[in-house]
Amino acid sequence: MSAASLAAAGDPGRRLLARLRPGRGGWMTAGLTVVLVAVALGASALLLMLTGASPRASLSAIWTGSLANTTGWTTTLLNVAPLLLVAVGACICSSAGTFNIGQEGQVLIGGLAGAWVGLRLALPGPMLVVVVLIAAAVGGGAWAALSALMLRFRGVNVPVSTLLMTFLAIQLVTFAVSTPWGLQESAQGSSGIADAQSNPLPANAQLASFGQYPSLQPNAGLFIALVSAVGVALVLSRSRWGFRVRMVGLNPLTAKHAGVRVGALGGFTLALSGAFAGLAGGLLLATPVSTNRLQAGLSDNVGWDGLLVALVARNRPLAAIPVSFVFAVLRAGGDFLSATGVPSYLVDIVKALLVLAFVAPPVLVDLFRGRRGTTPQEAPAASVVPIERKAAV
């Protein structure tokens, strides 16, 4: 049965299967992806052997640290939430044609805003953790909005400004946790020594986990991230606002003629992307994935990895869910692998190779089909179209 006949049937399940059937280019992309992933894994194994490590032992260490037991699963799921939130925000602004690459700094600013509220306000019960997460999202969104304002009033390139703002965020957080009147921790003991970090958040400013050790302990942050991914996917695909965002991303000029305020919408999506990154910083602060203290290294490359998740997922929030799980496995297992003596940068190299393996196939397939499409037989057909339209007018 053909895809057209399946789509014509009344069964919604058959219509869904018809939509999921890949075309010729889809099969080419899938096959090339499998080949490149195999090449990436082979190159990773070769690098491990060159450094004196055993690929099998390294794979076993990653498995042990991430999926071998309930402790590993708990650590992996804790890493999924911030990665997914950053990726969801990146999907929003990329759909509008705006490229935010400053999530690492926005995560830090979100953590700074959340820590300031959590340590300065005395609110009862779970109200405090709600305010901490809101403040983190607002802080990250405001930090990204500065880049939108720089584009609007000074014409500063968004990728450049968001990237440079990351280094400013690192210095700002470092100053905050190193200043006694800022967020530096209280002096310890009679020596009066205080480290460059904040005091831990109060218990009611931390998100609850379910289950008890040694059982699986999923954290509430994971559910926040999953709901955010599903909600954003529905808004982008089913709402009028999502249609405008995708229109701006596909053709800003057409969107402008249709009455869409392209500049305002692009700036808002950039701020919204920063808000999700800031919320990820709030989760890093309020969940057991960290020490519940604000530190200059709080983000720990979550912003960069979340951006890679969105890139591999091709800016689809639902696809970012399994991709973020894979990256979380690499993060959790990579920490365990580093403890065995294998250099931690090898895990980053593996992630980079996998990203290239997933991102390159569509580009290569489009390039191949584009070259094949520029044949002398197809050139006259392309030139007839404007003539027919002009005659119809």
Side-chain angles (χ1 to χ4, degrees), residues 243-262 265:
F243 175 74
R244 291 180 177 179
V245 169
R246 289 183 287 114
M247 184 191 301
V248 171
L250 292 173
N251 195 321
L253 184 60
T254 301
K256 185 176 182 179
H257 284 304
V260 179
R261 299 177 60 186
V262 175
L265 186 60

Side-chain angles (χ1 to χ4, degrees), residues 23 34 76 109 125 132 139 142 161 173 196 210 215 239 255-256 295 335 346:
V34 172
T76 299
I109 295 300
V132 166
S161 64
V173 172
F210 307 96
S215 301
S239 69
K256 185 176 182 179
Q295 298 170 333
D335 293 338
L346 287 179

Side-chain angles (χ1 to χ4, degrees), residues 16-27:
L16 178 61
L17 290 176
R19 294 182 63 184
L20 292 177
R21 173 176 286 185
R24 182 180 177 185
W27 286 116

Side-chain angles (χ1 to χ4, degrees), residues 203-222:
N204 63 329
Q206 302 175 22
L207 284 170
S209 296
F210 307 96
Q212 293 182 351
Y213 181 83
S215 301
L216 184 66
Q217 297 174 276
N219 188 267
L222 177 63

Side-chain angles (χ1 to χ4, degrees), residues 37-342:
V37 168
V39 172
L41 294 178
S44 301
L46 180 60
L47 285 174
L48 288 171
M49 289 188 293
L50 290 176
T51 56
S54 169
R56 179 176 297 180
S58 300
L59 182 61
S60 176
I62 292 176
W63 169 264
T64 302
S66 59
L67 300 174
N69 49 50
T70 54
T71 302
W73 272 94
T74 299
T75 304
T76 299
L77 294 180
L78 284 173
N79 280 284
V80 167
L83 289 174
L84 183 56
L85 284 175
V86 173
V88 167
C91 291
I92 295 174
C93 64
S94 296
S95 298
T98 305
F99 300 100
N100 175 19
I101 59 174
Q103 285 91 347
E104 186 77 4
Q106 293 149 19
V107 168
L108 280 173
I109 295 300
L112 174 62
W116 189 277
V117 170
L119 295 173
R120 291 291 189 270
L121 297 182
L123 298 177
M127 186 183 300
L128 183 57
V129 68
V130 174
V131 174
V132 166
L133 295 181
I134 292 175
V138 172
W143 194 255
L146 293 177
S147 295
L149 293 176
M150 284 189 280
L151 173 66
R152 172 65 179 82
F153 294 105
R154 304 299 298 177
V156 181
N157 184 269
V158 170
V160 172
S161 64
T162 51
L163 176 62
L164 295 180
M165 291 284 283
T166 298
F167 300 100
L168 181 58
I170 295 173
Q171 298 301 320
L172 184 60
V173 172
T174 302
F175 175 78
V177 297
S178 303
T179 307
W181 55 264
L183 289 176
Q184 189 176 21
E185 69 173 349
S186 303
Q188 303 295 322
S190 58
S191 61
I193 298 176
D195 293 331
Q197 62 182 5
S198 71
N199 291 323
L201 287 184
N204 63 329
Q206 302 175 22
L207 284 170
S209 296
F210 307 96
Q212 293 182 351
Y213 181 83
S215 301
L216 184 66
Q217 297 174 276
N219 188 267
L222 177 63
F223 301 101
I224 295 175
L226 292 175
V227 170
S228 299
V230 174
V232 168
L234 290 175
V235 169
L236 287 178
S237 62
R238 300 294 181 182
S239 69
R240 180 180 299 178
W241 182 82
F243 175 74
R244 291 180 177 179
V245 169
R246 289 183 287 114
M247 184 191 301
V248 171
L250 292 173
N251 195 321
L253 184 60
T254 301
K256 185 176 182 179
H257 284 304
V260 179
R261 299 177 60 186
V262 175
L265 186 60
F268 180 73
T269 56
L270 180 59
L272 196 58
S273 173
F276 275 99
L279 181 58
L283 289 189
L284 289 176
L285 192 67
T287 59
V289 74
S290 70
T291 60
N292 302 122
R293 298 171 181 263
L294 178 66
Q295 298 170 333
L298 175 71
S299 56
D300 192 24
N301 291 330
V302 166
W304 304 121
D305 286 348
L307 182 59
L308 293 179
V309 169
L311 188 63
V312 174
R314 297 170 192 171
N315 298 321
R316 292 174 293 182
L318 293 182
I321 296 176
V323 176
S324 62
F325 178 79
V326 173
F327 273 72
V329 168
L330 291 175
R331 287 180 66 88
D335 293 338
F336 192 86
L337 182 63
S338 299
T340 63
V342 177

